[in-house]
Amino acid sequence: MDWRVIVPPTLFPNTGNMGLPVAMYAFDDKGFPLAVAVFVVMSMSQFVVGCITSSSRPLRGIFTTPTIYAIVIAVLLMAFQIKLPAWLANSVELLAGFTIPMMLITLGVALASIRARSLNIGIGFGLARVVVAGGIALLIGWLLGLTSQALGILVVMMCMPVAVYNYLFAQKAGRSPEFVANLVLCSTLTSFIYLPLLLSFVISHGQ
């Protein structure tokens, strides 16, 4: 199978549509910003890789992606401690309040529009990916000396199901979108089984 088909679903979990709501539910106010940081890094990486693998003009795709500009602007504002005017900050905060509900709606619409075949392949991939991703996240967290809470957030975020954007990029490129849809749907369904167990383990060891 073409590496451009299998690599993105392997690398990029759904840290946005599912990761942020789960992190908001499971971790306190101190933990949620860490989940946002993981989401930002994964989102930037996914759009860069997605543009490269799904477009005949990857550089043009990268420079015309609004998400990348938004991340760069946000990082610059934080790095130089620039405060937005009150009217602009309030507007951005108001729009940001809609983000998580909108992402959940988007996830539902996307999952409802795709059809899965060969469920055993999708389920096997989803479970295998969780084991590998969780192990790599534990290793990286140990090497970086992360606190128990930060390590738990990293593991949970990396063990999210396959991101819907992988299906959208595959559909745009015409590279086995049905297969990627199968991975997205099956990994999302299996997450309802393993995520509660994973959250229970992470939270109990993080306290």
Side-chain angles (χ1 to χ4, degrees):
M1 182 173 291
D2 191 340
W3 67 271
R4 291 171 293 186
V5 175
I6 197 65
V7 168
T10 304
L11 292 180
F12 302 117
N14 197 340
T15 55
N17 301 80
M18 286 190 66
L20 291 182
V22 169
M24 178 176 287
Y25 164 76
F27 303 100
D28 56 20
D29 293 339
K30 294 182 179 180
F32 183 69
L34 298 177
V36 174
V38 175
F39 164 69
V40 168
V41 173
M42 295 304 296
S43 180
M44 172 73 85
S45 304
Q46 184 175 26
F47 275 97
V48 171
V49 173
C51 291
I52 292 175
T53 58
S54 66
S55 176
S56 58
R57 297 180 178 179
L59 291 179
R60 179 180 179 182
I62 292 173
F63 287 114
T64 56
T65 301
T67 303
I68 295 178
Y69 288 102
I71 293 174
V72 171
I73 292 173
V75 170
L76 290 175
L77 290 176
M78 290 187 295
F80 294 99
Q81 298 182 349
I82 300 175
K83 292 185 178 181
L84 297 175
W87 64 270
L88 182 56
N90 292 336
S91 300
V92 172
E93 184 176 0
L94 181 63
L95 292 174
F98 291 102
T99 303
I100 290 180
M102 287 180 64
M103 286 193 296
L104 289 174
I105 294 172
T106 303
L107 175 62
V109 172
L111 291 177
S113 64
I114 62 181
R115 298 293 181 266
R117 298 177 181 177
S118 303
L119 296 180
N120 57 333
I121 297 177
I123 293 174
F125 177 89
L127 294 177
R129 192 204 164 277
V130 168
V131 174
V132 174
I136 294 176
L138 282 173
L139 177 61
I140 292 176
W142 177 75
L143 292 175
L144 295 177
L146 299 180
T147 64
S148 56
Q149 185 186 52
L151 179 59
I153 293 173
L154 179 62
V155 171
V156 169
M157 293 291 279
M158 291 299 99
C159 289
M160 288 293 150
V162 178
V164 178
Y165 270 115
N166 294 307
Y167 164 67
L168 299 179
F169 280 124
Q171 189 177 49
K172 177 182 178 182
R175 294 193 181 97
S176 304
E178 297 83 6
F179 176 76
V180 179
N182 181 43
L183 301 182
V184 172
L185 184 57
C186 291
S187 63
T188 302
L189 293 177
T190 56
S191 69
F192 289 102
I193 299 175
Y194 71 78
L195 266 183
L197 301 176
L198 179 62
L199 287 172
S200 177
F201 177 80
V202 168
I203 293 176
S204 63
H205 283 73
Q207 293 177 347

